Amino acid sequence: IIEGEIFMNDYSFGNLLCELRAKSRLTQGELAIKLGVTNKAISKWENGKAKPTTDTLKKISILFHKIEY
């Protein structure tokens, strides 16, 4: 790991995504629609069984960056 780099495995990414989704009061289905994927994809990401594409990661970043807590 490079100094200052943050390592995130599939499981910790899934936990973060689930937390962000819950704070924004979105269901998996609603988030899926916003990202152009299926709710099954969201479930797999949140459970650490799969990971989104780079393009979808960009969409996730943009979506949750706009939400104020």
Side-chain angles (χ1 to χ4, degrees), residues 26-59:
L26 292 170
T27 65
Q28 288 182 340
E30 291 167 336
L31 178 57
I33 290 168
K34 289 180 179 291
L35 297 175
V37 299
T38 66
N39 60 327
K40 288 184 180 187
I42 303 294
S43 178
K44 286 179 181 180
W45 301 341
E46 289 184 357
N47 290 305
K49 295 182 180 187
K51 53 190 168 192
T53 65
T54 304
D55 287 340
T56 304
L57 280 172
K58 289 177 188 176
K59 291 178 185 178

Side-chain angles (χ1 to χ4, degrees), residues 8-28 31-32 35 37-39 41-48 50-52 56-57 59-61 63-64 67 69:
M8 183 173 285
N9 62 31
D10 293 347
Y11 183 74
S12 55
F13 170 78
N15 285 338
L16 175 62
L17 181 62
C18 185
E19 181 181 329
L20 290 170
R21 181 179 58 77
K23 284 182 179 178
S24 63
R25 300 177 187 233
L26 292 170
T27 65
Q28 288 182 340
L31 178 57
L35 297 175
V37 299
T38 66
N39 60 327
I42 303 294
S43 178
K44 286 179 181 180
W45 301 341
E46 289 184 357
N47 290 305
K51 53 190 168 192
T56 304
L57 280 172
K59 291 178 185 178
I60 292 168
S61 175
L63 175 67
F64 289 117
I67 297 172
Y69 298 101

